[in-house]
Amino acid sequence: MSMKELLGSLGDKLSSEATVRRVFGEPITLGDRTVIPVARVGYGFGGGMGSSGEAGEGGGGGGGVGAAPAGLVELTPDGIEYVEFGLGQKILTAALIGAAVGFLLGKLSR
């Protein structure tokens, strides 16, 4: 696979994963209030290739994605409000999400 094909394939994969669902979580309704979790999501990729004479060729590529809790959108009869998380809230939210995912994976593995 050429470097151009590799980077194209990697770019296609990352862009297909860059959906609204990665940023906005499933809405949670509590009475007359709906809360929508919001995350910051970043994607990146890169690669390179080179040659030195007839025998020396090489190349490589890679990519990554990261997500972090950013806040929530709150919909009430009084209006819509965006609440941004502070650092402490981000850490707590990430820990709670991690614990929930760990719990679910534990249940699934049994």
Side-chain angles (χ1 to χ4, degrees), residues 41-63:
V41 179
Y43 295 86
F45 65 97
M49 62 183 293
S51 65
S52 60
E54 293 178 28
E57 291 186 22

Side-chain angles (χ1 to χ4, degrees), residues 2-99:
S2 76
M3 184 55 63
K4 184 176 179 179
E5 293 168 334
L6 176 66
L7 290 176
S9 173
L10 186 57
D12 290 344
K13 177 68 174 163
L14 288 176
S15 66
S16 71
E17 296 293 322
T19 65
V20 171
R21 289 191 172 265
R22 301 284 185 219
V23 178
F24 295 99
E26 292 296 322
I28 302 164
T29 302
L30 305 165
D32 63 353
R33 178 176 306 217
T34 300
V35 175
I36 304 169
V38 179
R40 285 189 178 86
V41 179
Y43 295 86
F45 65 97
M49 62 183 293
S51 65
S52 60
E54 293 178 28
E57 291 186 22
V65 60
L72 57 90
V73 176
E74 183 178 35
L75 299 106
T76 66
D78 297 330
I80 299 171
E81 181 180 2
Y82 174 71
V83 179
E84 186 172 7
F85 292 160
L87 181 58
Q89 290 171 315
K90 289 178 186 178
I91 292 170
L92 177 61
T93 303
L96 290 173
I97 291 170

